[in-house]
Amino acid sequence: MPISAFAVKVPAAETIAADLRRRFDPTVALGVPAHITLLVPFMDPALITDEVLARARRVLQRTAPFSFVLGKVGRFPETAYLAPEPAAPFIEMTRALVKEFPDFPPYDGLHDDIIPHLSVAHGNALHAEEAAIELQARLLASGAVHANCIEVALIENSSGRWQDFHVFPLPHNAAA
């Protein structure tokens, strides 16, 4: 069944992670860019109406654009990732989306905590460890990745590849 997801694209991370993502993250072959997921899975794209988009827009209008840094490598058992700092704005957007759309908990409710991350390797513990070691070396050599969150993309996979469904620019005068 097709799904959608709210994500913050991070093209600045491609300089340090693109080749590792191509090798160790199978979603890259499906069109998934470097990103920090806010909420997945979200509803079937066929069910996303103008009213759903308006509700999401109202939620996301509470967050002003912000800068963040990817300077630390993190691990889940089969995943290596870059951890954004600060993490709080990502967590706040996720919680706000879940409050608005309670039928769609992050990762189907499989995890108690919200840990914002930009996956670089996923699906194999040995590959994740290899990627984590390489990422750490690259961060030491080149320094952290600096990025800005200026919009949130609602992406979907109904064609078999992930693509933008809608993009929500974050307002400079966010309404809390």
Side-chain angles (χ1 to χ4, degrees):
M1 176 172 94
I3 63 168
S4 58
F6 289 94
V8 173
K9 294 180 184 180
V10 188
E14 296 290 8
T15 57
I16 196 168
D19 63 316
L20 294 172
R21 290 184 66 247
R22 281 191 301 275
R23 283 175 52 205
F24 299 129
D25 184 349
T27 68
V28 173
L30 301 175
V32 177
H35 71 284
I36 297 167
T37 301
L38 298 179
L39 182 60
V40 71
F42 191 57
M43 65 180 61
D44 182 324
L47 302 176
I48 299 173
T49 62
D50 288 343
E51 190 252 333
V52 169
L53 294 174
R55 289 169 59 196
R57 184 178 302 104
R58 281 192 301 274
V59 167
L60 296 169
Q61 291 292 298
R62 300 178 198 148
T63 304
F66 61 94
S67 297
F68 61 96
V69 174
L70 298 168
K72 292 185 180 176
V73 177
R75 284 290 313 275
F76 301 131
E78 294 186 347
T79 303
Y81 63 87
L82 291 166
E85 294 178 329
F90 298 101
I91 294 169
E92 290 164 9
M93 285 191 288
T94 298
R95 286 185 177 147
L97 286 165
V98 170
K99 184 176 180 183
E100 182 67 26
F101 302 102
D103 291 340
F104 299 97
Y107 300 99
D108 277 332
L110 295 175
H111 309 288
D112 292 332
D113 296 326
I114 298 169
I115 302 173
H117 60 282
L118 189 149
S119 293
V120 176
H122 180 71
N124 178 298
L126 293 175
H127 291 164
E129 182 62 20
E130 182 180 340
I133 290 167
E134 180 60 28
L135 272 176
Q136 190 61 49
R138 291 177 184 188
L139 287 172
L140 286 172
S142 66
V145 173
H146 295 267
N148 296 302
C149 177
I150 60 170
E151 63 188 22
V152 172
L154 178 59
I155 59 175
E156 59 87 17
N157 68 353
S158 61
S159 71
R161 291 188 51 80
W162 286 91
Q163 57 192 2
D164 284 357
F165 184 91
H166 191 83
V167 175
F168 302 91
L170 297 181
H172 290 284
N173 56 346

